[in-house]
């Protein structure tokens, strides 16, 4: 550690002052008492004496303080430097106890916060490893079970062989699905996934998603619709495929956790001149408040048993969050347990397309007026 010694004179100055005043007063008192000398004749002697005593006391005290305290303070700094504390290593060594106490307290506070953060991360790591092992273990054991049964003799029965191979194939598909989602999250977090930014109509995209998920929604008799019956085209600027994936994941979640004969409504709102807000609302089971902050964690499930029965990789919302953040946008969630949930996210408007759309609307209105 590079030593930069910061001196402090406050202790030596005060101590030397007290010593010189006391010594001078004592010597003058003895002189008057023993030699019967008048105070006026001792005035010059007193001034010289107090100055000499003060200077001598100051130099001795300052030297001794530096030698005595510095060695001990340096040892504290050296011990702290072993912990690689950037807050103390780069600071000049000081013999001022107040300054040292403040720096050590700051160091202790920083270390406490760092330890607490590491504990939280360690807990998250353990939970994440437990969840991912569970998610991979289930399909792996399923595939292994069916293949083992076939190898043990069931292969001779064509009906069983076909049925078990189909089930094993579904287990493999689930494994691939989980691995692909994990790969996508890794790319999104590391910034390796390049976004293909284009301008497109978000309303048309949502209608396409409705068509894709119509059969899935029909199984639970859930209606997919827009909040407003008559909704105009709204052009945005983003990666079309990724935004479609976001909307699909959010609508699939609304179907998965929605109630039978329920409704999933999607709204597209012009939030500002530059931003559009896409809002997806359902009237399902809702989410309890304590679970909302962790919704976007990988493999986190609100209802663990029910969610796994519904299927999915457990990575849908984590992917949604990463895609939206890759677009430098925000995602929001509001939910009331037993009432329903609302997920919304912002997206950049395609200004040129909006201007062209407005001009076309103005031309249509003018044509109607002329007629």
């Amino acid at each position: 550690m590079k030593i930069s010694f910061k001196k402090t004179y406050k202790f030596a100055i005060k101590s030397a002052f007290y010593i010189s005043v006391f010594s001078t007063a004592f010597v003058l008192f003895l002189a008057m008492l023993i030699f019967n000398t008048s105070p006026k004749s001792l005035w010059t002697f007193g001034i010289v004496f107090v100055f000499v005593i003060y200077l001598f006391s100051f130099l001795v005290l300052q030297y001794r303080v530096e030698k005595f305290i510095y060695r001990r303070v340096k040892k504290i700094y050296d011990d702290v430097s072993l912990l690689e504390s950037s807050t103390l290593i780069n600071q000049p060594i000081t013999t001022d106890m107040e300054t040292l106490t403040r720096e050590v307290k700051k160091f202790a506070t920083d270390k406490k916060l760092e330890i607490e953060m590491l504990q939280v991360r360690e807990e998250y790591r353990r939970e994440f490893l437990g969840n991912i092992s569970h998610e991979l273990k289930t399909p792996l054991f399923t595939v292994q079970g069916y293949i083992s049964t076939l190898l043990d003799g069931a292969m001779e029965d064509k009906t069983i062989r076909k049925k078990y191979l189909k089930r094993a194939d579904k287990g493999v598909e689930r494994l691939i699905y989980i691995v692909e989602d994990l790969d996508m999250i890794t790319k999104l977090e590391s910034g390796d996934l390049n976004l293909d930014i284009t301008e497109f109509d978000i309303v048309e995209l949502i209608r396409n998603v409705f068509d894709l998920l119509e059969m899935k929604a029909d199984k639970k008799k859930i209606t997919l619709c827009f909040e407003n019956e008559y909704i105009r085209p709204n052009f945005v600027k983003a990666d079309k495929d990724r935004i479609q994936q976001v909307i699909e994941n959010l609508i699939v979640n609304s179907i998965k956790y929605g109630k039978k004969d329920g409704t999933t409504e999607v709204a597209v709102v012009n939030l500002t001149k530059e931003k559009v807000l896409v809002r997806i609302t359902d009237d399902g089971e809702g989410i309890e408040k304590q679970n909302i902050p962790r919704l976007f964690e990988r493999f986190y499930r609100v209802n663990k048993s029910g969610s796994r029965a519904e299927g999915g990789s457990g990575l849908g919302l984590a992917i949604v969050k990463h895609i939206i953040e890759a677009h430098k946008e925000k995602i929001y969630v509001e939910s009331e347990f037993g009432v329903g949930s609302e997920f919304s996210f912002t997206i950049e408007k395609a200004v040129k397309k909006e201007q062209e759309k407005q001009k076309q609307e103005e031309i249509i209105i003018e044509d109607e007026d002329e007629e």
Side-chain angles (χ1 to χ4, degrees):
M1 178 175 65
K2 185 180 179 180
I3 297 173
S4 176
F5 181 42
K6 180 183 176 183
K7 294 183 179 181
T8 177
Y9 300 97
K10 188 162 53 176
F11 176 79
I13 289 171
K14 285 184 178 180
S15 300
F17 174 76
Y18 297 143
I19 292 170
S20 59
V21 169
F22 175 79
S23 300
T24 305
F26 183 71
V27 168
L28 292 177
F29 174 76
L30 288 176
M32 287 186 295
L33 187 66
I34 297 172
F35 302 106
N36 294 321
T37 310
S38 64
K40 290 183 179 179
S41 61
L42 293 173
W43 180 253
T44 305
F45 171 76
I47 292 174
V48 174
F49 184 81
V50 74
F51 177 75
V52 171
I53 291 296
Y54 180 84
L55 186 62
F56 176 76
S57 301
F58 172 78
L59 292 174
V60 170
L61 285 170
Q62 183 65 21
Y63 175 76
R64 290 301 299 161
V65 164
E66 286 178 5
K67 291 293 286 184
F68 179 77
I69 297 179
Y70 176 75
R71 285 198 302 267
R72 286 154 180 78
V73 171
K74 181 179 179 297
K75 187 176 186 307
I76 294 173
Y77 273 81
D78 289 340
D79 291 341
V80 170
S81 68
L82 294 174
L83 300 174
E84 298 182 354
S85 170
S86 59
T87 57
L88 285 180
I89 292 174
N90 299 325
Q91 296 294 325
I93 295 176
T94 177
T95 54
D96 183 2
M97 290 296 102
E98 185 180 347
T99 304
L100 178 62
T101 302
R102 186 169 59 250
E103 289 178 358
V104 171
K105 279 184 178 178
K106 185 178 182 301
F107 165 75
T109 303
D110 292 344
K111 283 297 173 186
K112 183 181 177 183
L113 291 173
E114 188 178 335
I115 290 168
E116 288 175 355
M117 189 179 295
L118 288 171
Q119 287 174 341
V120 171
R121 287 180 178 176
E122 177 62 20
E123 185 179 348
Y124 174 76
R125 186 190 67 83
R126 285 199 302 266
E127 188 173 339
F128 172 72
L129 289 174
N131 285 332
I132 195 172
S133 64
H134 182 92
E135 295 294 338
L136 293 173
K137 182 171 63 178
T138 303
L140 275 172
F141 284 178
T142 301
V143 173
Q144 185 185 37
Y146 287 126
I147 292 175
S148 296
T149 304
L150 290 172
L151 291 173
D152 288 341
M155 196 182 297
E156 304 301 326
D157 189 327
K158 290 183 179 180
T159 306
I160 293 177
R161 180 174 63 196
K162 187 175 181 180
K163 182 171 69 175
Y164 280 19
L165 285 174
K166 281 183 178 179
R167 290 180 180 177
D169 183 58
K170 285 183 179 179
V172 173
E173 283 181 3
R174 179 166 168 75
L175 280 172
I176 293 170
Y177 185 50
I178 293 170
V179 171
E180 285 178 347
D181 281 355
L182 278 171
D183 182 56
M184 178 173 291
I185 285 181
T186 303
K187 287 179 179 177
L188 285 165
E189 287 179 343
S190 61
D192 292 338
L193 190 65
N194 296 321
L195 299 175
D196 183 17
I197 305 297
T198 58
E199 296 183 354
F200 60 92
D201 181 8
I202 188 72
V203 175
E204 183 185 354
L205 181 68
I206 294 167
R207 285 197 176 101
N208 291 337
V209 174
F210 281 172
D211 293 338
L212 288 170
L213 300 176
E214 185 179 2
M215 291 180 66
K216 192 176 186 70
D218 286 343
K219 288 181 180 178
K220 290 189 71 171
K221 296 183 180 179
I222 290 176
T223 304
L224 304 179
C225 62
F226 284 101
E227 191 176 279
N228 300 319
E229 187 176 351
Y230 301 103
I231 186 166
R232 295 181 178 182
N234 207 322
F235 288 90
V236 296
K237 189 177 180 181
D239 188 318
K240 186 175 181 179
D241 292 336
R242 299 303 171 200
I243 295 300
Q244 178 170 331
Q245 187 175 8
V246 166
I247 295 169
E248 276 186 30
N249 285 354
L250 292 176
I251 293 178
V252 165
N253 265 15
S254 74
I255 295 170
K256 187 187 296 184
Y257 300 104
K259 66 180 181 181
K260 194 175 181 181
D261 297 319
T263 304
T264 293
E265 290 183 342
V266 181
V268 179
V269 182
N270 289 313
L271 195 62
T272 65
K273 290 182 180 180
E274 294 83 20
K275 299 290 180 182
V276 169
L277 182 74
V278 180
R279 192 169 60 236
I280 298 167
T281 310
D282 65 67
D283 53 2
E285 61 188 55
I287 306 162
E288 293 176 328
K289 285 185 179 180
Q290 66 267 23
N291 291 318
I292 290 176
R294 300 192 62 189
L295 278 179
F296 298 101
E297 289 181 14
R298 289 175 285 187
F299 296 113
Y300 183 76
R301 296 179 184 272
V302 176
N303 182 351
K304 299 185 187 299
S305 57
S307 300
R308 289 193 169 101
E310 290 282 354
S313 66
L315 298 167
L317 288 178
I319 290 173
V320 164
K321 180 176 180 288
H322 283 296
I323 290 175
I324 295 301
E325 288 181 349
H327 283 81
K328 297 181 180 178
E329 301 292 345
K330 301 289 185 183
I331 185 163
Y332 310 93
V333 56
E334 294 180 9
S335 186
E336 186 176 346
F337 188 67
V339 177
S341 304
E342 179 181 290
F343 288 84
S344 57
F345 62 90
T346 56
I347 190 169
E348 186 181 350
K349 268 189 181 181
V351 180
K352 291 181 181 179
K353 288 284 186 181
E354 281 294 312
Q355 290 174 349
E356 290 176 6
K357 185 182 75 173
Q358 288 176 3
K359 286 180 181 178
Q360 288 175 358
E361 288 176 354
E362 288 173 2
I363 292 169
I364 293 170
I365 292 169
E366 288 174 1
D367 292 341
E368 289 177 351
D369 291 340
E370 288 177 0
E371 290 177 0

